[in-house]
Amino acid sequence: MCGIVGYIGERSARDVVIEGLRRLEYRGYDSAGIALVHAGDDGRGAVAARKRAGKLANLEKAISAEELPVSGTGIGHTRWATHGAPNDRNAHPHLGATGRVAVVHNGIIENFAELRAELEDEDHVLLSETDTEVAAHLLEREVVAGADLTTAMQRVCRRLEGAFTLVAVDGQDADRVVAARRNSPLVVGLGERENFLGSDVAAFIEFTRDALELGQDQVVTLTRDGVEVTGFDGTPAQATRYSVDWDLSAAEKDGHDWFMRKEIFEQPRAVADSLLGRWGADGRLQLDEMRLSDDELREIRKIIVIACGTSFYAGMVAKYTIEHWCRIPVEVQLASEFRYRDPILDNDTLVVAISQSGETADTLQAIRHARTQRSKVLAICNTNGSTIPRESDAVIYTHAGPEIGVASTKGFLTQLVACYLLGLYLAQVRGTRYGDEITQIVGQLEEMPAHIQTVLDRAEDVYAMARDHVAAESVLFLGRHAGYPVALEGALKLKELAYIHAEGFAAGELKHGPIALVEDGLPVLCLVPPQGRDQLHDKMLSGIQEVRARGARTICLAEETDTRITPYADALIRLPRVPTLLQPLVAVVPLQLFACELATAKGHDVDQPRNLAKSVTVE
Ligand code: F6R
């Protein structure tokens, strides 16, 4: 949600910032802007700022026609609008009253109305509807009064409420870029006589893999030769250094039309990587990042999974598996609802927060609430050094690599893997499954990359089906048991990418109301549970029959060994035969391909769907 870039060094700041924005554009694409510090006409130094509504390409077009001043100090922003419409005026950077200070911002300054009124009382004229412009005026007021930009940032941040990352430059001080963060992401990239800032490491991965993870309520000052971190009160603070474990190639499309398609095809590798190193020489499962002791895990009486969107659906699968393998009650809660319903928590409750980005504000606030209630929090996360794992008691990192397509794909599959591992680990520690059963399931998990590859090898068939549905106005998805979250995920993918009305239902629930939606020709994607393992298969066939009787056109996803499905399916997508609880890992893949291809056929921007942003850092 908004991408922020900062640079100071010997290179062209314009080029570094634009390139960084290109890599962060998935975070928001309502508008883009850049500010550079240069010598100025009178030699006292000045800011040159340019901004444009719409995608980064609009800004690039605007600045390609003019000579922006040469500069080694700059900041940039790509926006997902919160305060104010996505137009040129509200685009970042915002400038102070005299144009000396430029600021870019991610987050929401909650007390901006009060601060704006204070500034207007002093005859400041604010030009935009944004909360950000208030910060620009406040910072500039401090520097005009004599403070350096670092001190100004510390003073201003002490007055701000809400969540924010701010990055600022002072036109009269080309030797520093200053940033601050509270509840919003920001990382520092460390180079040789140059330093970088980014909402995430993709912004500077081309130049350095050395990074600094900042804490809450910290101000960071970048010069060419160093980085200084303080608290908002000015006291020196430590930041943790780490090395990014992926490189530029992971942030490129690699011959695919969309990042999303590339990420779908990376899933066999992502799943394999997320399983790597989990099996110890002693024949037991090991989760190295698990910072909870076996005794603590044995004391758990209840698990609450909290997450949003696709991650929430991974949590629903976790409920089926953990309850089955460990006999611990599991609740799954939408993070945005969690703390407002006054949940019953105590130190026997383990809260599992699932977040690909590790920055989702709803999930972050939910885990903070859980910790105030003395519950232990375990994060399942794909982003090293992000806020949610840092504020959790334990973490299982997924190893999907950077996910850039706005719609989550490999993030979801690797979250499922982490949930399976967690369930098996708890079963091992608590003795609810025999060691040989755990060994067998781990073995089955290790076979999943090959099964996923089999599904991907049949992508062309799914694409053809998707192209047949470009005119569809509504699509339903039905599933049962572990297939139910997959149905919900399939519907979400289609909504967000193809902008088609799509709903996922538990197949058994259909007759309690939603079947009224079924009319002649309505496409219904049906996730058929494995045949012969329990009664679910028969029940699903009855559900399919009910919608067919009312004119629905059924596209069934069923195992290749399923001998009964053919008469129930107008179209059939075959899935490899895998254990029931692991079926989501293969069943969701055709649904991802379906949504991606349908959206492509409709001419949509698959990587940057309308109104969305990758990482939702506001509540
Ligand atoms: C959908 C999607 C979103 C995210 C949700 C949570 O394709 O990507 O629904 O799953 O915003 O994001 P994380 O997992 O980063 O907390």
Side-chain angles (χ1 to χ4, degrees):
M1 187 146 293
C2 298
I4 286 186
V5 183
Y7 176 72
I8 187 161
E10 312 288 337
R11 302 175 203 263
S12 153
R14 167 195 164 135
D15 294 349
V16 176
V17 168
I18 294 290
E19 196 45 44
L21 292 180
R22 201 186 324 282
R23 298 197 187 285
L24 294 188
E25 202 182 6
Y26 70 91
R27 302 179 70 93
Y29 29 85
D30 288 334
S31 63
I34 183 170
L36 302 171
V37 179
H38 64 107
D41 296 339
D42 56 5
R44 289 177 61 207
V47 162
R50 302 288 184 275
K51 49 194 194 170
R52 281 291 179 280
K55 295 195 174 171
L56 179 63
N58 291 357
L59 174 72
E60 285 186 279
K61 204 161 132 211
I63 61 177
S64 67
E66 60 174 321
E67 279 293 303
L68 274 182
V70 176
S71 166
T73 308
I75 59 177
H77 188 265
T78 175
R79 178 171 188 240
W80 187 83
T82 53
H83 278 76
N87 53 28
D88 285 357
R89 198 158 39 90
N90 290 328
H92 300 212
H94 288 281
L95 304 180
T98 67
R100 176 174 159 181
V101 167
V103 176
V104 292
H105 166 219
N106 175 24
I108 294 179
I109 299 170
E110 284 167 3
N111 58 337
F112 95 102
E114 169 194 325
L115 296 167
R116 185 175 176 123
E118 173 189 312
L119 289 163
E120 283 171 346
D121 281 350
E122 290 175 22
D123 296 329
H124 284 249
V125 179
L126 287 102
L127 306 172
S128 75
E129 299 146 70
T130 66
D131 47 348
T132 311
E133 195 180 2
V134 166
H137 279 245
L138 291 173
L139 281 170
E140 193 179 276
R141 189 170 71 176
E142 295 290 341
V143 296
V144 166
D148 61 44
L149 191 60
T150 306
T151 312
M153 186 66 91
Q154 290 159 352
R155 285 185 190 150
V156 169
C157 286
R158 291 201 291 268
R159 300 199 58 203
L160 302 183
E161 289 166 18
F164 50 85
T165 300
L166 292 167
V167 183
V169 285
D170 172 0
Q172 295 183 17
D173 184 356
D175 293 330
R176 72 174 87 195
V177 176
V178 179
R181 80 172 283 252
R182 167 181 287 167
N183 293 337
S184 184
L186 181 68
V187 278
V188 178
L190 303 168
E192 281 289 315
R193 283 201 46 76
E194 62 182 350
N195 289 300
F196 306 81
L197 288 162
S199 299
D200 66 54
V201 295
F204 50 73
I205 193 71
E206 188 178 347
F207 307 107
T208 179
R209 289 164 71 174
D210 285 333
L212 271 191
E213 170 185 314
L214 297 171
Q216 285 302 345
D217 288 9
Q218 291 189 337
V219 169
V220 58
T221 304
L222 263 58
T223 59
R224 279 169 191 76
D225 294 314
V227 172
E228 253 182 48
V229 184
T230 70
F232 286 176
D233 60 1
T235 52
Q238 289 297 324
T240 317
R241 204 171 166 142
Y242 68 103
S243 179
V244 181
D245 59 4
W246 50 272
D247 60 17
L248 185 60
S249 64
E252 305 282 357
K253 281 193 213 154
D254 207 16
H256 290 273
D257 51 351
W258 306 114
F259 278 110
M260 182 189 176
R261 207 183 305 264
K262 174 192 170 223
E263 289 161 5
I264 293 173
F265 279 87
E266 280 174 351
Q267 292 181 119
R269 191 215 29 84
V271 166
D273 286 355
S274 296
L275 287 166
L276 216 63
R278 310 291 195 181
W279 198 241
D282 58 354
R284 285 170 68 81
L285 198 57
Q286 58 189 24
L287 296 179
D288 287 343
E289 323 95 306
M290 171 67 73
R291 297 183 296 249
L292 296 173
S293 70
D294 287 0
D295 280 344
E296 284 172 310
L297 295 176
R298 276 190 279 268
E299 277 158 20
I300 295 165
R301 295 285 158 264
K302 182 172 77 175
I303 292 177
I304 304 183
V305 181
I306 46 179
C308 305
T310 291
S311 303
F312 176 78
Y313 302 144
M316 288 176 71
V317 177
K319 176 178 168 66
Y320 289 98
T321 53
I322 297 175
E323 288 189 339
H324 181 68
W325 289 335
C326 314
R327 312 308 298 155
I328 308 173
V330 181
E331 282 176 32
V332 193
Q333 288 285 316
L334 289 171
S336 54
E337 289 293 320
F338 180 67
R339 64 190 171 127
Y340 301 102
R341 70 169 174 96
D342 198 11
I344 301 167
L345 294 160
D346 53 33
N347 55 3
D348 294 342
T349 308
L350 176 68
V351 169
V352 177
I354 307 180
S355 175
Q356 187 283 129
S357 62
E359 299 293 349
T360 299
D362 290 314
T363 311
L364 179 60
Q365 294 306 341
I367 65 163
R368 286 184 178 159
H369 178 76
R371 294 195 80 197
T372 63
Q373 306 295 301
R374 298 184 302 131
S375 291
K376 293 269 183 293
V377 175
L378 179 142
I380 291 179
C381 184
N382 191 41
T383 314
N384 221 305
S386 57
T387 311
I388 290 172
R390 280 220 319 272
E391 295 200 11
S392 298
D393 299 291
V395 57
I396 301 177
Y397 278 113
T398 56
H399 296 281
E403 191 179 63
I404 293 173
V406 163
S408 187
T409 52
K410 61 177 182 169
F412 178 65
L413 255 68
T414 56
Q415 287 169 346
L416 292 178
V417 170
C419 292
Y420 294 132
L421 291 172
L422 174 63
L424 293 172
Y425 191 74
L426 287 170
Q428 174 177 280
V429 170
R430 296 163 69 100
T432 52
R433 290 277 139 174
Y434 293 120
D436 55 355
E437 288 177 278
I438 295 172
T439 311
Q440 187 192 13
I441 302 168
V442 171
Q444 290 163 341
L445 273 171
E446 282 169 347
E447 288 167 11
M448 293 312 289
H451 292 312
I452 297 165
Q453 188 57 52
T454 304
V455 178
L456 291 171
D457 292 343
R458 301 171 185 160
E460 282 305 330
D461 299 342
V462 180
Y463 291 159
M465 274 180 219
R467 290 192 291 265
D468 284 347
H469 287 85
V470 271
E473 286 172 6
S474 179
V475 179
L476 301 190
F477 291 74
L478 304 185
R480 285 194 85 111
H481 186 250
Y484 170 39
V486 178
L488 294 171
E489 171 61 2
L492 177 60
K493 290 283 98 88
L494 201 59
K495 277 185 257 212
E496 66 184 332
L497 300 175
Y499 319 148
I500 291 176
H501 168 253
E503 293 292 337
F505 293 109
E509 187 61 17
L510 204 70
K511 56 190 177 296
H512 299 290
I515 199 159
L517 291 170
V518 178
E519 55 190 18
D520 227 21
L522 178 81
V524 181
L525 278 101
C526 309
L527 292 133
V528 183
Q531 187 183 9
R533 295 223 174 88
D534 47 37
Q535 297 171 354
L536 287 170
H537 185 268
D538 290 353
K539 296 269 187 295
M540 186 69 199
L541 293 191
S542 310
I544 298 175
Q545 193 71 296
E546 285 156 17
V547 293
R548 279 173 69 83
R550 286 155 182 88
R553 200 181 165 275
T554 52
I555 303 173
C556 296
L557 287 82
E559 285 187 338
E560 49 212 2
T561 49
D562 193 319
T563 51
R564 293 182 52 209
I565 192 63
T566 311
Y568 296 82
D570 292 302
L572 194 52
I573 297 172
R574 288 295 191 177
L575 300 174
R577 184 165 171 80
V578 301
T580 308
L581 283 170
L582 306 189
Q583 203 195 36
L585 282 172
V586 288
V588 77
V589 177
L591 306 187
Q592 299 167 339
L593 294 166
F594 187 81
C596 180
E597 186 62 13
L598 186 40
T600 307
K602 291 185 91 167
H604 294 175
D605 185 334
V606 167
D607 284 335
Q608 297 179 351
R610 71 183 180 202
N611 303 338
L612 297 180
K614 181 76 184 156
S615 159
V616 186
T617 53
V618 292
E619 275 188 89

